[in-house]
Amino acid sequence: MIIETSRLRIRALTVEDAEFIFSLVNEPSFLENIGDKGVRNLEDARKFILEGPWASHREQGYGQFLVEMKETGVPVGVCGVLYREALDVSDIGCAFLPAYWRQGIAFEAACAVMDYGRSTLGLKKIVGLTSEENLASIRALEKLGMKFERMVKMSDDDPGTALYS
């Protein structure tokens, strides 16, 4: 376990979470706002957990973490801090199943992860990255106290990503 809040447990992803990750990364909202991670079956999900971009900085405490309800242990989403080499910055990223939207769960998890990033990982600055069209993410970043800073390019084919800090 990494973090515990009043309603949530936030912990490292394990291969036992493959079924949940398979469901989450194939949600239409995930595909539209985050992208297709190529996870087509449970084996792909296991590999994604072990070797994918969310695990790339695990040894430093970075990466996506599983968010589950404390009372039931039911997984509801992921939230974590990822280092973006192209921008030399760390950003907070979250994704939750639609059934758990609009309940304050994402905000609770994001606040806890931001605090973890600053206090435990020693990060001075954590930003938010999102598309200009993702109004829900923009509202969440603003609720975390971030403001639009500038447009950035994450890759050559990136049409532009909004950076909030």
Side-chain angles (χ1 to χ4, degrees):
M1 169 123 64
I2 295 168
I3 308 164
E4 193 169 286
T5 71
S6 61
R7 297 186 292 170
L8 308 171
R9 276 193 307 257
I10 302 170
R11 63 170 176 80
L13 283 162
T14 69
V15 292
E16 286 78 29
D17 300 315
E19 191 171 319
F20 172 74
I21 293 302
F22 173 75
S23 296
L24 179 68
V25 302
N26 286 293
E27 276 289 329
S29 58
F30 188 100
L31 293 167
E32 179 182 341
N33 293 305
I34 297 172
D36 187 346
K37 301 300 180 187
V39 176
R40 304 290 180 255
N41 53 50
L42 290 180
E43 187 54 38
D44 289 347
R46 286 183 198 94
K47 186 175 180 181
F48 184 75
I49 291 167
L50 292 173
E51 303 169 12
W54 293 353
S56 62
H57 303 289
R58 193 172 280 149
E59 62 279 354
Q60 292 111 356
Y62 279 76
Q64 282 289 18
F65 306 120
L66 184 88
V67 178
E68 60 189 15
M69 300 305 295
K70 190 183 333 189
E71 280 189 20
T72 62
V74 171
V76 297
V78 294
C79 188
V81 178
L82 300 169
Y83 177 70
R84 305 297 183 164
E85 191 172 338
L87 302 174
D88 190 29
V89 71
S90 297
D91 82 285
I92 182 136
C94 298
F96 289 85
L97 293 174
Y100 297 93
W101 293 356
R102 295 177 189 83
Q103 298 174 37
I105 292 170
F107 182 70
E108 186 175 330
C111 286
V113 167
M114 295 272 294
D115 183 58
Y116 171 81
R118 290 182 180 120
S119 63
T120 303
L121 300 176
L123 301 173
K124 304 278 187 263
K125 182 176 183 178
I126 301 173
V127 303
L129 298 166
T130 189
S131 71
E132 289 181 290
E133 296 82 32
N134 191 339
L135 299 180
S137 286
I138 290 169
R139 282 192 299 274
L141 294 171
E142 289 173 343
K143 190 173 178 181
L144 286 170
M146 295 186 189
K147 297 194 180 335
F148 176 79
E149 187 175 304
R150 69 184 188 278
M151 293 300 290
V152 297
K153 288 188 74 71
M154 300 291 293
S155 64
D156 290 339
D157 62 343
D158 180 2
T161 299
L163 185 144
Y164 283 72
S165 64

